């Protein structure tokens, strides 16, 4: 083998040195880039940002946006408004006794207070109360509308919020220093405040109903003996607490107070008997003289509860209607303040019945993207509200207007003097005009 000449040897050495230098530079660039990205991630962590947020590709961002749940869309000629400020699913709502506000709670850790006078406007304003380190699943206004109570999902107890008005007209919401003590051993099904302000009720899914005073002390414990409770509520007159569950009846108790306002006892009042299977839900009319119930037997019933129960008089069954959907899945029920209209919610649909004739008059299907969690008429009976996803939907109560027309026409035929006739005619005209404006006037 011949030895390489000196010039060739020097050229080969230079080439190898150049290749080594290029390799070193490439490694250095990669190291610097890695250091830069690491420094950026550390800086983002220091600023409270996710370290990989700025490194996501456009395709990843687009995919995340597509996976974000979309707000359920729903349209109907009788839809009056949709309230959409919540970012989480709404579980409960409550109209204030003065008719000015609607409270809603959701799993976004907020309570929203809506002004009912905005329902007919395009913009729907709301005030927000935050639930620290938890979220509320139930909400109820106090009788004076200056406070509200909520049931905490994780805390399993009641929390009281007081409302105070600022000089600019806005409200602030302050939670009381201590929550109610934990007493229930099963998930809660409902809470309520008596309109008299004398007591609070909480009911759990076992067989327990607790009667509390406003300071968080338990006054009485009711065992419903119904295997389980599916619902319980206080009557608008504040005299009664009722519950339903596995048994085919609704049980009603009277909460008794003395003349000086001191609590005395809880005694059995009466029962609604007539269903042949478990009762899903019930509701009172505004004057507590009527009750409605819906059962797994596929029927709903309307009752006259204005009876002398202390003389062992039982409620009268006024009407029975068919609702086959109730035989296959749980249902919710709302009774209009005048008891003329019954609303039944099953899944994502709502059905409206005229209780005078027992006929279905309206049906709203796929109202929400999730199963309906609450259903309620406002105190005027003009609107029906429902929730089940991130929105509250408000419907015009056309069956209620038709019921007024039917009632006024019947009363006009029996009116004995002119002043009465004029008053009845005015109410008839108002109901007919309301139906005409909604395109729901029947010829």
């Amino acid at each position: 083998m011949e030895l390489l000449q000196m010039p060739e040897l020097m050229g080969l050495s230079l080439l190898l040195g150049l290749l080594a230098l290029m390799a070193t530079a490439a490694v250095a660039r990669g190291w610097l880039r890695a250091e830069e990205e690491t420094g950026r991630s550390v800086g983002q962590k220091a600023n409270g940002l996710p370290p990989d947020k700025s490194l996501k590709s456009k395709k990843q961002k687009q995919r995340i946006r597509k996976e974000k749940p979309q707000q359920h869309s729903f349209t109907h000629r009788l839809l009056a408004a949709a309230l959409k400020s919540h970012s989480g699913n709404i579980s409960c709502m409550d109209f204030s006794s003065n008719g000015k506000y609607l409270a809603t709670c959701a799993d976004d850790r907020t309570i929203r207070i809506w002004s009912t006078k905005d329902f007919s406007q395009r913009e729907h304003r709301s005030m927000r109360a935050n639930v620290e380190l938890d979220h509320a699943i139930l909400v109820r206004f106090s009788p004076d509308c200056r406070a509200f109570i909520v049931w905490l999902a994780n805390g399993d107890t009641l929390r009281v919020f007081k409302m105070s008005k600022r000089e600019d007209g806005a409200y602030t919401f302050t939670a009381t220093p201590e929550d109610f003590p934990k007493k229930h051993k099963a998930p809660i099904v409902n809470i309520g405040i008596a309109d008299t302000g004398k007591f609070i009720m909480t009911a759990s899914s076992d067989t327990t109903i607790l009667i509390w005073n406003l300071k968080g002390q338990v006054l009485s414990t009711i065992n419903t003996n119904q295997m389980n409770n599916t619902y319980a509520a206080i009557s608008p007159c504040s005299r009664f607490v009722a519950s339903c569950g596995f048994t085919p009846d609704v049980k009603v108790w009277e909460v008794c107070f003395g003349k000086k306002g001191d609590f005395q006892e809880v005694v059995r009042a009466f029962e609604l008997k007539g269903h042949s299977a478990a009762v899903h839900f019930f509701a009172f009319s505004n004057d507590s003289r009527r009750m409605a119930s819906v059962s797994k037997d596929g029927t709903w019933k309307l009752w006259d509860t204005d009876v002398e129960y202390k003389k062992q008089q039982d409620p009268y069954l006024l009407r029975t209607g068919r609702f086959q959907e109730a035989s296959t899945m749980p249902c919710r029920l709302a009774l209009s303040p005048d008891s003329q209209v019954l609303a039944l919610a099953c899944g994502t649909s709502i059905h409206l019945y005229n209780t005078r004739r027992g006929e279905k008059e309206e049906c709203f299907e796929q109202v929400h993207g999730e199963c309906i969690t609450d259903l309620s008429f406002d105190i005027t009976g003009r609107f029906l509200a429902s929730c089940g996803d991130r929105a509250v939907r408000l419907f015009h109560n056309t069956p209620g207007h038709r019921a007024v027309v039917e009632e006024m026409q019947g009363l006009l035929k029996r009116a004995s003097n002119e002043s009465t006739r004029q008053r009845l005619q005015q109410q008839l005209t108002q109901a007919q005009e309301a139906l005409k404006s909604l395109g729901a006037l029947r010829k």
Side-chain angles (χ1 to χ4, degrees):
M1 176 184 295
E2 297 182 0
L3 293 175
L4 294 171
Q5 298 180 3
M6 184 62 68
E8 294 174 340
L9 183 61
M10 291 177 65
L12 181 60
S13 298
L14 289 172
L15 179 61
L16 291 173
L18 182 61
L19 290 173
L21 184 62
M22 292 174 64
T24 303
V27 171
R29 281 197 300 269
W31 180 81
L32 288 171
R33 189 180 297 111
E35 285 290 306
E36 182 180 340
E37 290 175 354
T38 302
R40 188 185 301 124
S41 298
V42 172
Q44 287 172 339
K45 286 182 179 179
N47 292 322
L49 297 174
D52 63 339
K53 186 174 181 180
S54 62
L55 305 178
K56 290 181 179 177
S57 66
K58 291 182 179 180
K59 290 183 179 180
Q60 286 176 316
K61 290 181 180 180
Q62 290 173 354
R63 185 163 62 249
I64 290 173
R65 277 197 289 267
K66 288 179 181 178
E67 291 173 356
K68 185 178 180 179
Q70 298 295 316
Q71 181 77 290
H72 178 73
S73 60
F74 173 82
T75 58
H76 195 279
R77 61 184 177 82
L78 296 180
L79 182 65
L83 314 180
K84 298 182 178 181
S85 291
H86 278 290
S87 60
N89 285 347
I90 303 169
S91 57
C92 184
M93 57 190 176
D94 188 45
F95 284 98
S96 62
S97 59
N98 60 10
K100 293 182 178 181
Y101 306 109
L102 171 67
T104 56
C105 64
D107 57 15
D108 59 7
R109 296 187 175 183
T110 68
I111 311 295
R112 293 275 179 178
I113 308 296
W114 309 80
S115 173
T116 57
K117 68 180 182 181
D118 292 339
F119 287 173
S120 58
Q121 307 297 322
R122 295 188 64 180
E123 298 293 330
H124 306 110
R125 297 172 296 171
S126 66
M127 299 172 287
R128 185 180 72 183
N130 296 319
V131 183
E132 298 295 335
L133 304 176
D134 211 327
H135 70 274
I137 57 174
L138 294 165
V139 59
R140 294 288 179 260
F141 272 111
S142 64
D144 61 5
C145 308
R146 296 179 181 176
F148 57 85
I149 61 172
V150 300
W151 186 265
L152 301 177
N154 300 321
D156 290 326
T157 188
L158 279 175
R159 178 172 293 174
V160 180
F161 284 83
K162 293 184 178 180
M163 302 168 56
S164 56
K165 200 169 187 177
R166 299 199 306 249
E167 292 182 358
D168 60 1
Y171 280 87
T172 58
F173 307 97
T174 307
T176 53
E178 294 185 5
D179 298 331
F180 277 36
K182 295 182 182 180
K183 294 293 184 180
H184 285 283
K185 298 179 181 179
I188 210 75
V189 295
N190 199 22
I191 61 176
I193 309 178
D195 281 353
T196 57
K198 292 182 178 180
F199 68 94
I200 291 173
M201 177 220 70
T202 59
S204 52
S205 61
D206 45 15
T207 61
T208 305
I209 296 176
L210 297 181
I211 305 299
W212 310 70
N213 65 15
L214 302 187
K215 296 181 180 180
Q217 299 170 327
V218 175
L219 301 176
S220 181
T221 300
I222 303 172
N223 182 357
T224 64
N225 293 315
Q226 291 175 309
M227 297 290 288
N228 68 287
N229 299 327
T230 56
Y231 185 67
I234 302 174
S235 64
C237 67
S238 299
R239 290 179 62 189
F240 306 113
V241 167
S243 75
C244 63
F246 182 79
T247 58
D249 51 20
V250 178
K251 296 182 179 181
V252 183
W253 293 264
E254 182 180 6
V255 183
C256 304
F257 287 83
K259 293 182 179 180
K260 296 182 179 180
D262 54 312
F263 172 77
Q264 293 183 329
E265 61 180 342
V266 176
V267 297
R268 194 70 163 269
F270 55 87
E271 296 180 5
L272 306 182
K273 295 183 177 180
H275 287 293
S276 59
V279 177
H280 292 306
F281 214 85
F282 65 86
F284 289 92
S285 64
N286 197 45
D287 59 6
S288 304
R289 298 173 63 184
R290 297 287 187 271
M291 288 182 70
S293 57
V294 60
S295 167
K296 194 176 180 181
D297 63 12
T299 68
W300 60 263
K301 295 181 183 295
L302 181 70
W303 311 80
D304 178 359
T305 54
D306 186 22
V307 297
E308 295 186 64
Y309 56 89
K310 292 183 178 179
K311 296 181 179 180
Q312 309 303 313
Q313 188 177 4
D314 294 324
Y316 298 103
L317 178 61
L318 300 175
R319 178 75 60 187
T320 297
R322 295 295 305 173
F323 187 62
Q324 196 58 42
E325 290 87 339
S327 61
T328 57
M329 61 188 304
C331 298
R332 300 188 70 87
L333 177 153
L335 188 62
S336 64
D338 60 4
S339 73
Q340 299 276 24
V341 182
L342 179 69
L344 291 164
C346 199
T348 61
S349 299
I350 300 172
H351 308 261
L352 298 183
Y353 288 82
N354 178 305
T355 58
R356 183 189 294 267
R357 292 179 277 102
E359 298 175 0
K360 184 190 293 187
E361 294 205 8
E362 299 288 352
C363 180
F364 310 123
E365 297 183 345
Q366 297 181 346
V367 177
H368 296 278
E370 306 285 342
C371 287
I372 293 170
T373 54
D374 207 354
L375 190 69
S376 178
F377 286 94
D378 76 317
I379 65 169
T380 67
R382 291 173 54 209
F383 298 108
L384 172 69
S386 68
C387 60
D389 44 30
R390 289 178 287 160
V392 173
R393 306 205 189 282
L394 293 150
F395 295 90
H396 293 288
N397 181 16
T398 51
H401 293 306
R402 294 193 193 106
V404 171
V405 170
E406 293 177 16
E407 184 178 18
M408 294 304 106
Q409 288 175 338
L411 292 174
L412 273 170
K413 294 178 181 178
R414 301 191 298 272
S416 57
N417 59 70
E418 187 59 28
S419 63
T420 301
R421 289 185 60 84
Q422 290 179 357
R423 177 175 55 82
L424 295 174
Q425 184 61 52
Q426 182 180 10
Q427 295 180 33
L428 173 61
T429 302
Q430 289 175 347
Q432 289 174 329
E433 289 178 350
L435 288 169
K436 186 177 180 180
S437 67
L438 298 170
L441 183 62
R442 294 174 178 174
K443 296 181 179 180

